[in-house]
Amino acid sequence: MTKLSVNINKIATLRNARGGNIPDLIKAAIDIQNFGADGITVHPRPDERHIKQKDVLDLSQIIRTEFNIEGYPSENFIKLVKTVKPHQVTLVPDPPEAITSNAGWDTIKNFSFLKDIITDLKEFGIRTSIFIDTNLDFIAKASEINCDRIELYTEPYAALFPINKEKAVAPFVEAANFANKIGIKINAGHDLNLQNLKYFNEKIPFLKEVSIGHALIADALYLGIEKTIAAYKELLE
């Protein structure tokens, strides 16, 4: 069964809008785990506009499932994840001012940069994943970088899915099959939701994990967080 990691950035965004501690990010993370999520994902940014560095440190004390920290591998980010030692670090190519992730790594252009970082992180016993598009050349290079996993950037799939789901998923099936063949495990994330997740998961049966935040937290406004997590988990069975 594909694991569900819940990205809680949007809960932190809501809290930060008013200051204080409502909603309580730590309580939310505990509840999300208790309601059946397989992991918690956070994406701390330099401006701390949602997840703050203190949040990451506090969360590391209460995560009993799997902790995935994603972000651009700046000096401060690497220092933070070495301190926390999460189960997984997902490297994304976002510049500091990006609103959200909008592309995967060019692993050819950034080969030496990424390889040095991943070698360093693996010495700390941290599983590594690279956020990446369906470009087969980039995936092949990711294998040479020696990352454990890739996370397929699924916004193009989500955008095309309502129009032509077969065409939408085709490049992702090809990319996943190729990665699986060369020994890289596959995660996925970005704009996956209750409408498009089941089909994606069925087409990639060896998918290890999906990281979902924006859509899941939005659905929870209508359904409640417990029912929402159950609904997403059901799609992954």
Side-chain angles (χ1 to χ4, degrees):
M1 180 176 172
T2 305
K3 291 184 176 181
L4 172 66
S5 186
V6 176
N7 186 316
I8 60 173
N9 279 19
K10 286 297 184 294
I11 297 174
T13 301
L14 183 60
R15 176 200 62 188
N16 295 351
R18 286 286 295 269
N21 195 39
I22 300 174
D24 186 328
L25 188 76
I26 301 304
K27 182 181 185 305
I30 292 170
D31 288 343
I32 287 167
Q33 293 177 108
N34 288 339
F35 295 152
D38 303 295
I40 299 292
T41 292
V42 295
H43 185 156
R45 292 182 181 274
D47 61 6
E48 295 196 323
R49 63 179 180 265
H50 35 62
I51 294 294
K52 301 178 182 293
Q53 181 165 318
K54 183 179 184 301
D55 294 330
V56 178
L57 297 172
D58 290 345
L59 287 164
S60 70
Q61 302 302 309
I62 60 93
I63 301 296
R64 57 174 178 73
T65 52
E66 181 177 286
F67 198 14
N68 173 45
I69 303 178
E70 61 181 33
Y72 181 81
S74 65
E75 183 177 343
N76 286 339
F77 178 84
I78 296 301
K79 182 179 178 181
L80 177 63
V81 297
K82 283 182 177 179
T83 300
V84 172
K85 295 182 181 177
H87 301 89
Q88 178 175 267
V89 168
T90 302
L91 303 179
V92 298
D94 297 356
E97 68 277 5
I99 295 175
T100 186
S101 303
N102 56 18
W105 284 100
D106 179 338
T107 54
I108 297 173
K109 180 179 179 181
N110 297 283
F111 178 80
S112 296
F113 175 64
L114 290 170
K115 187 174 178 63
D116 288 347
I117 289 167
I118 284 174
T119 299
D120 190 21
L121 291 176
K122 293 185 83 168
E123 289 179 357
F124 279 74
I126 301 170
R127 187 173 74 229
T128 57
S129 179
I130 294 177
F131 196 63
I132 201 166
D133 300 317
T134 55
N135 184 309
L136 301 188
D137 292 334
F138 291 169
I139 294 172
K141 210 66 176 176
S143 176
E144 296 178 34
I145 290 170
N146 201 30
C147 61
D148 300 296
R149 299 186 182 185
I150 56 172
E151 180 174 327
L152 292 173
Y153 168 53
T154 50
E155 183 180 13
Y157 163 76
L160 187 55
F161 179 83
I163 303 167
N164 187 328
K165 63 182 181 180
E166 292 85 3
K167 184 176 180 181
V169 82
F172 291 88
V173 172
E174 181 184 25
N177 283 332
F178 177 71
N180 188 56
K181 184 177 180 180
I182 62 176
I184 302 178
K185 293 181 171 62
I186 299 100
N187 297 340
H190 205 91
D191 287 353
L192 295 173
N193 57 40
L194 289 174
Q195 288 70 48
N196 61 38
L197 178 60
K198 182 177 178 65
Y199 184 74
F200 188 88
N201 187 58
E202 288 174 346
K203 292 297 180 180
I204 304 175
F206 42 80
L207 187 64
K208 299 295 289 184
E209 176 185 291
V210 291
S211 175
I212 305 178
H214 184 83
L216 190 151
I217 300 303
D219 290 329
L221 295 175
Y222 301 98
L223 304 175
I225 192 67
E226 184 172 6
K227 289 182 178 179
T228 298
I229 290 173
Y232 275 89
K233 290 278 288 183
E234 184 178 357
L235 299 179
L236 295 171
E237 291 179 353

